[in-house]
PDB file of all heavy atoms in Angstrom:
ATOM      1  N   GLY A  55     -11.547  20.801 -10.132  1.00  0.00           N
ATOM      2  CA  GLY A  55     -11.327  21.149 -11.528  1.00  0.00           C
ATOM      3  C   GLY A  55      -9.937  20.878 -12.058  1.00  0.00           C
ATOM      4  O   GLY A  55      -9.695  21.028 -13.238  1.00  0.00           O
ATOM      5  N   THR A  56      -8.993  20.504 -11.228  1.00  0.00           N
ATOM      6  CA  THR A  56      -7.665  20.162 -11.721  1.00  0.00           C
ATOM      7  C   THR A  56      -7.412  18.700 -11.454  1.00  0.00           C
ATOM      8  O   THR A  56      -7.963  18.125 -10.523  1.00  0.00           O
ATOM      9  CB  THR A  56      -6.571  20.997 -11.031  1.00  0.00           C
ATOM     10  OG1 THR A  56      -6.630  20.742  -9.636  1.00  0.00           O
ATOM     11  CG2 THR A  56      -6.767  22.473 -11.291  1.00  0.00           C
ATOM     12  N   SER A  57      -6.581  18.114 -12.277  1.00  0.00           N
ATOM     13  CA  SER A  57      -6.311  16.692 -12.103  1.00  0.00           C
ATOM     14  C   SER A  57      -5.217  16.487 -11.066  1.00  0.00           C
ATOM     15  O   SER A  57      -4.251  17.239 -11.025  1.00  0.00           O
ATOM     16  CB  SER A  57      -5.903  16.046 -13.425  1.00  0.00           C
ATOM     17  OG  SER A  57      -4.717  16.643 -13.876  1.00  0.00           O
ATOM     18  N   PRO A  58      -5.305  15.445 -10.258  1.00  0.00           N
ATOM     19  CA  PRO A  58      -4.282  15.180  -9.244  1.00  0.00           C
ATOM     20  C   PRO A  58      -3.096  14.403  -9.808  1.00  0.00           C
ATOM     21  O   PRO A  58      -2.693  13.403  -9.274  1.00  0.00           O
ATOM     22  CB  PRO A  58      -5.042  14.365  -8.199  1.00  0.00           C
ATOM     23  CG  PRO A  58      -6.074  13.645  -8.993  1.00  0.00           C
ATOM     24  CD  PRO A  58      -6.460  14.598 -10.097  1.00  0.00           C
ATOM     25  N   LYS A  59      -2.529  14.871 -10.917  1.00  0.00           N
ATOM     26  CA  LYS A  59      -1.401  14.172 -11.534  1.00  0.00           C
ATOM     27  C   LYS A  59      -0.158  14.243 -10.664  1.00  0.00           C
ATOM     28  O   LYS A  59       0.689  13.378 -10.720  1.00  0.00           O
ATOM     29  CB  LYS A  59      -1.109  14.757 -12.915  1.00  0.00           C
ATOM     30  CG  LYS A  59      -2.189  14.468 -13.922  1.00  0.00           C
ATOM     31  CD  LYS A  59      -1.860  15.044 -15.256  1.00  0.00           C
ATOM     32  CE  LYS A  59      -2.984  14.776 -16.243  1.00  0.00           C
ATOM     33  NZ  LYS A  59      -2.744  15.376 -17.544  1.00  0.00           N
ATOM     34  N   GLU A  60      -0.064  15.315  -9.873  1.00  0.00           N
ATOM     35  CA  GLU A  60       1.112  15.457  -9.014  1.00  0.00           C
ATOM     36  C   GLU A  60       1.116  14.427  -7.894  1.00  0.00           C
ATOM     37  O   GLU A  60       2.148  13.995  -7.441  1.00  0.00           O
ATOM     38  CB  GLU A  60       1.144  16.855  -8.402  1.00  0.00           C
ATOM     39  CG  GLU A  60       1.224  17.963  -9.422  1.00  0.00           C
ATOM     40  CD  GLU A  60       1.048  19.313  -8.774  1.00  0.00           C
ATOM     41  OE1 GLU A  60       1.232  19.400  -7.541  1.00  0.00           O
ATOM     42  OE2 GLU A  60       0.746  20.267  -9.470  1.00  0.00           O
ATOM     43  N   VAL A  61      -0.072  14.039  -7.439  1.00  0.00           N
ATOM     44  CA  VAL A  61      -0.189  13.127  -6.311  1.00  0.00           C
ATOM     45  C   VAL A  61      -0.992  11.907  -6.753  1.00  0.00           C
ATOM     46  O   VAL A  61      -2.195  12.013  -6.964  1.00  0.00           O
ATOM     47  CB  VAL A  61      -0.900  13.807  -5.124  1.00  0.00           C
ATOM     48  CG1 VAL A  61      -0.983  12.867  -3.950  1.00  0.00           C
ATOM     49  CG2 VAL A  61      -0.202  15.087  -4.751  1.00  0.00           C
ATOM     50  N   PRO A  62      -0.356  10.753  -6.932  1.00  0.00           N
ATOM     51  CA  PRO A  62      -1.101   9.569  -7.337  1.00  0.00           C
ATOM     52  C   PRO A  62      -1.952   9.049  -6.180  1.00  0.00           C
ATOM     53  O   PRO A  62      -1.553   9.091  -5.022  1.00  0.00           O
ATOM     54  CB  PRO A  62      -0.010   8.556  -7.710  1.00  0.00           C
ATOM     55  CG  PRO A  62       1.173   9.001  -6.918  1.00  0.00           C
ATOM     56  CD  PRO A  62       1.072  10.495  -6.811  1.00  0.00           C
ATOM     57  N   ALA A  63      -3.128   8.581  -6.524  1.00  0.00           N
ATOM     58  CA  ALA A  63      -4.009   8.008  -5.508  1.00  0.00           C
ATOM     59  C   ALA A  63      -3.473   6.655  -5.083  1.00  0.00           C
ATOM     60  O   ALA A  63      -2.817   5.949  -5.846  1.00  0.00           O
ATOM     61  CB  ALA A  63      -5.422   7.857  -6.063  1.00  0.00           C
ATOM     62  N   ALA A  64      -3.746   6.304  -3.849  1.00  0.00           N
ATOM     63  CA  ALA A  64      -3.282   5.022  -3.327  1.00  0.00           C
ATOM     64  C   ALA A  64      -4.041   3.893  -4.015  1.00  0.00           C
ATOM     65  O   ALA A  64      -5.265   3.949  -4.131  1.00  0.00           O
ATOM     66  CB  ALA A  64      -3.502   4.961  -1.821  1.00  0.00           C
ATOM     67  N   PRO A  65      -3.335   2.857  -4.484  1.00  0.00           N
ATOM     68  CA  PRO A  65      -4.038   1.744  -5.130  1.00  0.00           C
ATOM     69  C   PRO A  65      -4.830   0.949  -4.091  1.00  0.00           C
ATOM     70  O   PRO A  65      -4.419   0.809  -2.950  1.00  0.00           O
ATOM     71  CB  PRO A  65      -2.900   0.899  -5.714  1.00  0.00           C
ATOM     72  CG  PRO A  65      -1.706   1.241  -4.895  1.00  0.00           C
ATOM     73  CD  PRO A  65      -1.895   2.666  -4.480  1.00  0.00           C
ATOM     74  N   LYS A  66      -5.983   0.465  -4.534  1.00  0.00           N
ATOM     75  CA  LYS A  66      -6.830  -0.301  -3.620  1.00  0.00           C
ATOM     76  C   LYS A  66      -6.369  -1.744  -3.575  1.00  0.00           C
ATOM     77  O   LYS A  66      -5.973  -2.323  -4.579  1.00  0.00           O
ATOM     78  CB  LYS A  66      -8.286  -0.240  -4.082  1.00  0.00           C
ATOM     79  CG  LYS A  66      -8.854   1.157  -4.016  1.00  0.00           C
ATOM     80  CD  LYS A  66     -10.296   1.175  -4.400  1.00  0.00           C
ATOM     81  CE  LYS A  66     -10.859   2.579  -4.303  1.00  0.00           C
ATOM     82  NZ  LYS A  66     -12.251   2.625  -4.692  1.00  0.00           N
ATOM     83  N   LYS A  67      -6.431  -2.315  -2.377  1.00  0.00           N
ATOM     84  CA  LYS A  67      -6.046  -3.706  -2.205  1.00  0.00           C
ATOM     85  C   LYS A  67      -7.190  -4.607  -2.673  1.00  0.00           C
ATOM     86  O   LYS A  67      -8.352  -4.327  -2.389  1.00  0.00           O
ATOM     87  CB  LYS A  67      -5.799  -4.021  -0.729  1.00  0.00           C
ATOM     88  CG  LYS A  67      -4.501  -3.546  -0.199  1.00  0.00           C
ATOM     89  CD  LYS A  67      -4.323  -4.056   1.211  1.00  0.00           C
ATOM     90  CE  LYS A  67      -2.972  -3.803   1.757  1.00  0.00           C
ATOM     91  NZ  LYS A  67      -2.819  -4.323   3.106  1.00  0.00           N
ATOM     92  N   PRO A  68      -6.872  -5.682  -3.367  1.00  0.00           N
ATOM     93  CA  PRO A  68      -7.935  -6.627  -3.701  1.00  0.00           C
ATOM     94  C   PRO A  68      -8.356  -7.368  -2.436  1.00  0.00           C
ATOM     95  O   PRO A  68      -7.546  -7.688  -1.582  1.00  0.00           O
ATOM     96  CB  PRO A  68      -7.274  -7.578  -4.702  1.00  0.00           C
ATOM     97  CG  PRO A  68      -5.811  -7.445  -4.449  1.00  0.00           C
ATOM     98  CD  PRO A  68      -5.594  -6.049  -3.932  1.00  0.00           C
ATOM     99  N   THR A  69      -9.641  -7.587  -2.330  1.00  0.00           N
ATOM    100  CA  THR A  69     -10.134  -8.272  -1.138  1.00  0.00           C
ATOM    101  C   THR A  69      -9.886  -9.767  -1.276  1.00  0.00           C
ATOM    102  O   THR A  69     -10.027 -10.345  -2.352  1.00  0.00           O
ATOM    103  CB  THR A  69     -11.643  -8.027  -0.948  1.00  0.00           C
ATOM    104  OG1 THR A  69     -12.329  -8.455  -2.133  1.00  0.00           O
ATOM    105  CG2 THR A  69     -11.927  -6.555  -0.708  1.00  0.00           C
ATOM    106  N   LYS A  70      -9.494 -10.379  -0.181  1.00  0.00           N
ATOM    107  CA  LYS A  70      -9.243 -11.813  -0.173  1.00  0.00           C
ATOM    108  C   LYS A  70     -10.499 -12.523   0.309  1.00  0.00           C
ATOM    109  O   LYS A  70     -11.113 -12.128   1.287  1.00  0.00           O
ATOM    110  CB  LYS A  70      -8.072 -12.150   0.755  1.00  0.00           C
ATOM    111  CG  LYS A  70      -6.756 -11.604   0.283  1.00  0.00           C
ATOM    112  CD  LYS A  70      -5.636 -12.001   1.209  1.00  0.00           C
ATOM    113  CE  LYS A  70      -4.315 -11.453   0.739  1.00  0.00           C
ATOM    114  NZ  LYS A  70      -3.221 -11.823   1.643  1.00  0.00           N
ATOM    115  N   LYS A  71     -10.849 -13.564  -0.402  1.00  0.00           N
ATOM    116  CA  LYS A  71     -12.013 -14.341  -0.007  1.00  0.00           C
ATOM    117  C   LYS A  71     -11.575 -15.479   0.903  1.00  0.00           C
ATOM    118  O   LYS A  71     -10.554 -16.119   0.663  1.00  0.00           O
ATOM    119  CB  LYS A  71     -12.714 -14.920  -1.238  1.00  0.00           C
ATOM    120  CG  LYS A  71     -13.295 -13.839  -2.125  1.00  0.00           C
ATOM    121  CD  LYS A  71     -14.019 -14.443  -3.298  1.00  0.00           C
ATOM    122  CE  LYS A  71     -14.584 -13.359  -4.187  1.00  0.00           C
ATOM    123  NZ  LYS A  71     -15.276 -13.920  -5.338  1.00  0.00           N
ATOM    124  N   LYS A  72     -12.344 -15.706   1.941  1.00  0.00           N
ATOM    125  CA  LYS A  72     -12.032 -16.798   2.857  1.00  0.00           C
ATOM    126  C   LYS A  72     -12.516 -18.108   2.250  1.00  0.00           C
ATOM    127  O   LYS A  72     -13.569 -18.168   1.612  1.00  0.00           O
ATOM    128  CB  LYS A  72     -12.719 -16.592   4.199  1.00  0.00           C
ATOM    129  CG  LYS A  72     -12.172 -15.432   4.982  1.00  0.00           C
ATOM    130  CD  LYS A  72     -12.796 -15.364   6.348  1.00  0.00           C
ATOM    131  CE  LYS A  72     -12.207 -14.249   7.166  1.00  0.00           C
ATOM    132  NZ  LYS A  72     -12.815 -14.181   8.497  1.00  0.00           N
TER     133      LYS A  72
END
Side-chain angles (χ1 to χ4, degrees):
T56 60
S57 62
K59 291 181 182 177
E60 299 172 19
V61 182
K66 295 183 179 179
K67 282 186 172 181
T69 57
K70 294 182 180 179
K71 295 182 181 179
K72 292 186 177 180

